[in-house]
Amino acid sequence: MDSLSVAYPIDLHTHSLCSDGTLSPADLIRRAAGRGVRVLSLSDHDTLAGVAEAVAAGAELGIRVIPASELNTESEWGDAHVLGYFIDPADVALEERLRWLRENRERRIELMVERLNQLGYGVSLERVLEIAQGGALGRPHLAEALLEKGYVRAYEEAFDTILAKDSPAYVARIGLTPREAVELVRMHGGVPSLAHPGTVVGLEALLPKLVAAGLAGIEAYCGDHSLEMTERCLALARTHGLVPTGGSDFHGRGEHGVDLGAIFVPPETIEMLESRRAHA
Ligand SMILES: [Zn+2]
Ligand SMILES: [Zn+2]
């Protein structure tokens, strides 16, 4: 029971206004402090812009902030997001690469809106941006815009028809594959972990490829997971020698129904992740 006696809330997956969350980094840290969190990772999508503010607020409130970013990927593997821990917010080359990702994502969606308009679908970029609320733009936002205009009867239908890969509205991705995301994190001295594996299509097949590229962790403790999914991820972690990580994926809108620090993450997780950094 030793680990329980020293247990305290740890949250290794959170978002601020700097990507698609609703709180500033400092407000996020204040909220975490109010909930007893002692170690928190700010993991905004494709950016490290909020880390310095979070670290400063954390220093005042006694919260250790681990810098991170959640990298979105584009591939046939579904929503495979890669969390990169311990990457350096002052790494200029990495920031260049992240900016490239952010700009390409926006440009791609702009192009798709243009094509949709040419095809007679009246969706506006302004509305798509509103739906995204400043977050990482993607096809889900286009699907929502199409749905609210009545062009499809269901959100998924948009993906299967108007936004499908063989549709004239489709613009090919310019982004990272899951493997490239893992490699990018490693290249910049970080420790990569696969976020919310439940959204990956073909998890068992993808995992060995990512492990070969340097994947060090897998998010086992996650609000989206059933008990079975957590057990499955813990088993996959054992099989592939990965560190089970976890967090709330808090965005501030309550969409996952989980508040900061509410997902149990074993304290030894931090040391295990750090050891993967040293051996990188
Ligand atoms: Zn994600
Ligand atoms: Zn996330």
Side-chain angles (χ1 to χ4, degrees):
M1 299 304 274
D2 266 346
S3 71
L4 276 183
S5 63
V6 298
Y8 46 83
I10 292 170
D11 198 328
L12 299 179
H13 190 160
T14 69
H15 297 276
S16 77
L17 271 179
C18 295
S19 67
D20 51 351
T22 59
L23 300 181
S24 71
D27 284 343
L28 185 85
I29 296 299
R30 274 180 216 116
R31 186 184 180 106
R35 296 183 50 80
V37 174
R38 299 251 299 269
V39 182
L40 178 139
S41 190
L42 180 64
S43 55
D44 279 316
H45 294 285
D46 303 340
T47 184
L48 290 155
V51 169
E53 184 183 323
V55 168
E60 262 175 44
L61 295 164
I63 294 182
R64 178 180 174 196
V65 175
I66 295 173
S69 181
E70 181 176 17
L71 304 177
N72 289 49
T73 65
E74 296 272 353
S75 72
E76 70 276 25
W77 301 98
D79 282 326
H81 294 176
V82 174
L83 293 155
Y85 292 110
F86 303 113
I87 43 184
D88 180 2
D91 184 333
V92 177
L94 177 61
E95 175 49 29
E96 274 292 297
R97 190 79 176 134
L98 295 178
R99 181 153 35 111
W100 178 83
L101 284 171
R102 294 193 298 268
E103 286 171 358
N104 275 319
R105 186 185 312 112
E106 279 176 33
R107 186 67 196 130
R108 177 205 188 195
I109 295 303
E110 277 172 34
L111 287 172
M112 285 189 74
V113 168
E114 279 172 27
R115 292 206 184 168
L116 285 169
N117 292 343
Q118 285 158 10
L119 292 163
Y121 298 104
V123 295
S124 71
L125 184 60
E126 289 66 37
R127 183 56 196 147
V128 173
L129 290 169
E130 268 172 38
I131 291 169
Q133 294 184 67
L137 274 185
R139 278 193 298 164
H141 305 121
L142 292 177
E144 250 183 77
L146 288 164
L147 176 64
E148 70 181 18
K149 283 282 186 119
Y151 293 119
V152 287
R153 279 155 301 164
Y155 176 83
E156 295 76 21
E157 192 192 325
F159 284 93
D160 296 340
T161 59
I162 305 167
L163 302 176
K165 257 194 173 149
D166 53 0
S167 149
Y170 185 83
V171 175
R173 70 171 184 89
I174 315 171
L176 301 173
T177 64
R179 190 195 169 95
E180 286 168 342
V182 167
E183 287 168 349
L184 181 66
V185 170
R186 278 300 188 192
M187 209 184 298
H188 290 274
V191 179
S193 181
L194 184 65
H196 42 72
T199 62
V200 174
V201 176
L203 178 61
E204 268 80 1
L206 176 63
L207 218 45
K209 298 177 198 294
L210 298 188
V211 170
L215 188 73
I218 182 169
E219 212 168 51
Y221 312 103
C222 163
D224 289 344
H225 284 179
S226 61
L227 195 57
E228 283 92 355
M229 188 58 189
T230 299
E231 290 298 336
R232 189 177 149 210
C233 289
L234 290 173
L236 286 169
R238 281 191 295 273
T239 304
H240 294 285
L242 297 169
V243 179
T245 66
S248 63
D249 205 1
F250 181 83
H251 285 72
R253 293 186 196 91
E255 65 271 61
H256 300 287
V258 178
D259 209 324
L260 293 168
I263 298 289
F264 173 75
V265 179
E268 58 268 27
T269 308
I270 310 298
E271 246 174 50
M272 287 161 73
L273 276 178
E274 280 188 312
S275 76
R276 294 310 179 94
R277 180 192 194 184
H279 300 151

